[in-house]
Amino acid sequence: MHEDGEVDGLPVWPVIYYCIRCGDLEAAKITTSKAAQDLGEFSEYLEEYMQNDDRRLSPSTETKLRLHYRRAVRSSTDPFKRAVYCLLGRCDTVDNHSEVAEKTEDYLWLKLSQVQFGDSSTTSGQSSSDKLTLQQLQTTLLEEYGESHFNAHQNPYLYFKILFLSAQFESAIEFLSRSDGGLRSHAVHAAIVLHELGLLALPENIQAQLLSRNPQDPEPMRRLNFVRLISMYTSKFESTDPREVLQYFYLLRNLKDAGGKSYFVRCLSELVIETREFEALLGRRERDGTRRPGAVDKFQVETQDIIETVAVDTEAKGLFEDALKLYDLAGNSDKVLELMNQLLSPVVASANSPQSNRERLQGLAVSIAERYQAQGLIGSPANTKSFYLLLDLMTFFDHYHNRDLDRALATIRQLQLIALSPDSVDDRVNGFKQYTDEIRRNLPDVLLSTMNILYTKYRSCRSSGTQSPHARAGQRKEDGGKESYLAHLRKQAKALITFAGMLPYRMPGDTNARLVQMEVLMN
């Protein structure tokens, strides 16, 4: 039933309502002016409504309109007239105006137009049915109605729009991210925009669920775990396109964990370790020492600090070989040597074989040594000394396992690590105290191998009746004969036994027994 006449052959209140609904307030004003004689003071209300940028009436005018609504308009049979008055005066908010707002979009627009902010919500003379805060509307939409009321899973965009337009961004994004039909991408990119604008509420704890509630927050406020959302989304393509994943992780650069570390760096570290795309993401060190940039360099961040952070994480996971390459990339030569020593120490005494762990590590160590020497790079005195000594010991064991015993013996004598003469025992024992554990752990194998060389040469000399021409160098022999050479070998073996017995180091239980056994066989 339409009231107050017509305009251009159309009922006046539907025309006014639809003019306001489509945002053409000037058209609504023209319509009102044509029917002014039938509309009373409404034209004044609309004029003031249009003049205010926030589309609000002054408290006094709003009170006047509401009073008129309660006395005359509420009982009107024209649903459009009631809707227009409720819209301008933000009154009778419990009325959903279902005859006018037939669609969800119309209902939402009408309710949002009635929401009150600030002090205006406490206007004198207001009843509870005249109040609608944003928080109340949000609670109604999210908790009272919810997904089932709006048939959200059949029409996900509509429900997303309802939550989004009622400023429930976090709940809207979480809902869209778990909807069918590949909508997670839209959820993620909407979240990115909102996050960049500072409009997302985030949880304090990164371990929180994707959508969570802080007990101190007012209902129905929720918090969105933006870091988790990005991680969940990028996990689908991190193995195939890690460079693209890095673009998303960069969005987390301003979010920090309890230790102050950026989530960009944290996620980058996990990505590098998971995909092992070290060179593509972080760059590589060329033979001449220069660093070839990686994908991370495009972001113009503190690349060296980031690389070192990833190196620390990699080391913590026990990936020492990868970690030392990253430390090398970050320019931390001391950590490179420290980890290189830890890796070399267990394989020094092993026999080399093609494509073995030892061969790979030896090749890596040699390349580092050559580059560091060319560039004058060193670490701490202890790490530097141990590194080069381990390389020399690998050379010794290479000769030993290749049965090049003369070169092996010459190498170990040159290193001055163990005693091969009585007058050097004390010096070698004192020198042992300065060696790191990486060197000390190899000493039992060095002693056994050296003693085995002496015993092999002794047995060979006795059986053949000749002495090695290489053994003559540096020897004091009065007669140059066989017995003198054998005595010289026994003297070296005895010095070795004495040195082993004086070491302040607990060696494997059978080491000393095997040393003594070979020395006894030489007497």
Side-chain angles (χ1 to χ4, degrees), residues 299-329:
F299 298 108
Q300 298 181 348
V301 291
E302 295 296 331
T303 306
Q304 297 300 98
D305 292 342
I306 290 176
I307 295 174
E308 181 133 7
T309 299
V310 178
V312 171
D313 293 342
T314 308
E315 180 185 359
K317 292 181 180 296
L319 305 173
F320 299 128
E321 191 171 343
D322 294 328
L324 79 84
K325 293 177 182 178
L326 292 173
Y327 281 121
D328 188 31
L329 199 59

Side-chain angles (χ1 to χ4, degrees), residues 99-298:
E99 306 99 318
V100 174
E102 296 179 352
K103 295 184 177 180
T104 302
E105 291 90 338
D106 296 324
Y107 162 81
L108 185 60
W109 171 80
L110 185 59
K111 290 301 179 184
L112 287 172
S113 299
Q114 292 180 298
V115 167
Q116 302 177 35
F117 297 94
D119 293 338
S120 62
S121 63
T122 58
T123 302
S124 175
Q126 256 183 300
S127 65
S128 59
S129 63
D130 286 338
K131 296 179 182 179
L132 179 63
T133 65
L134 180 61
Q135 184 179 342
Q136 289 172 332
L137 178 60
Q138 290 173 333
T139 301
T140 299
L141 296 173
L142 180 66
E143 297 183 355
E144 293 182 19
Y145 289 164
E147 296 180 21
S148 59
H149 177 84
F150 293 103
N151 197 19
H153 293 285
Q154 295 297 320
N155 198 351
Y157 285 116
L158 174 63
Y159 189 60
F160 171 80
K161 182 163 60 175
I162 289 170
L163 296 178
F164 193 89
L165 292 178
S166 59
Q168 302 186 83
F169 306 131
E170 298 78 14
S171 296
I173 290 169
E174 187 274 338
F175 163 73
L176 201 62
S177 72
R178 56 182 167 83
S179 299
D180 296 331
L183 299 182
R184 177 172 291 178
S185 175
H186 300 305
V188 169
H189 292 93
I192 289 171
V193 174
L194 292 168
H195 175 67
E196 290 296 306
L197 293 173
L199 296 177
L200 280 184
L202 307 178
E204 296 179 359
N205 187 354
I206 187 60
Q207 303 302 324
Q209 296 297 316
L210 185 58
L211 190 69
S212 61
R213 180 179 178 273
N214 189 323
Q216 286 73 42
D217 292 335
E219 283 286 0
M221 179 179 172
R222 299 292 186 268
R223 293 177 178 269
L224 182 75
N225 194 331
F226 184 63
V227 176
R228 177 169 295 215
L229 180 69
I230 294 295
S231 298
M232 290 169 55
Y233 179 65
T234 54
S235 65
K236 305 299 182 182
F237 54 92
E238 66 177 16
S239 61
T240 57
D241 200 352
R243 292 173 181 266
E244 186 71 15
V245 172
L246 200 59
Q247 303 275 357
Y248 286 91
F249 286 165
Y250 183 65
L251 300 168
L252 308 177
R253 64 195 180 280
N254 295 322
L255 300 177
K256 302 185 185 300
D257 62 14
K261 184 191 295 186
S262 163
Y263 278 110
F264 167 52
V265 178
R266 279 190 54 171
C267 292
L268 167 60
S269 179
E270 293 175 4
L271 177 67
V272 171
I273 295 172
E274 184 69 26
T275 64
R276 306 190 64 77
E277 293 284 351
F278 298 100
E279 294 184 3
L281 297 175
L282 301 178
R284 62 171 294 173
R285 187 70 68 183
E286 303 288 6
R287 288 184 176 274
D288 60 1
T290 59
R291 176 179 170 272
R292 189 176 72 184
V296 71
D297 290 87
K298 68 185 294 183

Side-chain angles (χ1 to χ4, degrees), residues 13 31 86 109 115 176 180 221 244 269 271 317 320 339 348 367 383 401 403 435 462 487 495:
W13 287 110
T31 302
C86 289
W109 171 80
V115 167
L176 201 62
D180 296 331
M221 179 179 172
E244 186 71 15
S269 179
L271 177 67
K317 292 181 180 296
F320 299 128
L339 292 180
V348 164
S367 67
N383 285 334
H401 291 298
R403 307 309 296 167
Y435 294 122
R462 290 202 61 173

Side-chain angles (χ1 to χ4, degrees), residues 493-519:
K494 184 174 181 60
L496 199 65
I497 290 290
T498 304
F499 168 74
M502 294 178 63
L503 285 178
Y505 181 72
R506 184 183 297 276
M507 290 190 288
D510 65 338
T511 300
N512 284 318
R514 292 170 62 188
L515 290 172
V516 170
Q517 183 181 23
M518 284 187 281
E519 194 262 346

Side-chain angles (χ1 to χ4, degrees), residues 474-502:
Q475 295 182 29
R476 293 184 177 180
K477 305 188 297 296
E478 296 180 357
D479 57 7
K482 172 180 176 180
E483 289 303 322
S484 177
Y485 179 59
L486 293 175
H488 177 68
L489 291 174
R490 287 195 295 271
K491 186 177 181 181
Q492 292 181 84
K494 184 174 181 60
L496 199 65
I497 290 290
T498 304
F499 168 74
M502 294 178 63

Side-chain angles (χ1 to χ4, degrees), residues 29 32-33 36 39-48 85:
K29 181 180 179 181
T32 301
S33 64
L39 303 182
E41 295 180 324
F42 179 79
S43 58
E44 298 176 11
Y45 302 151
L46 181 61
E47 182 71 26
E48 183 176 328
Y85 267 85

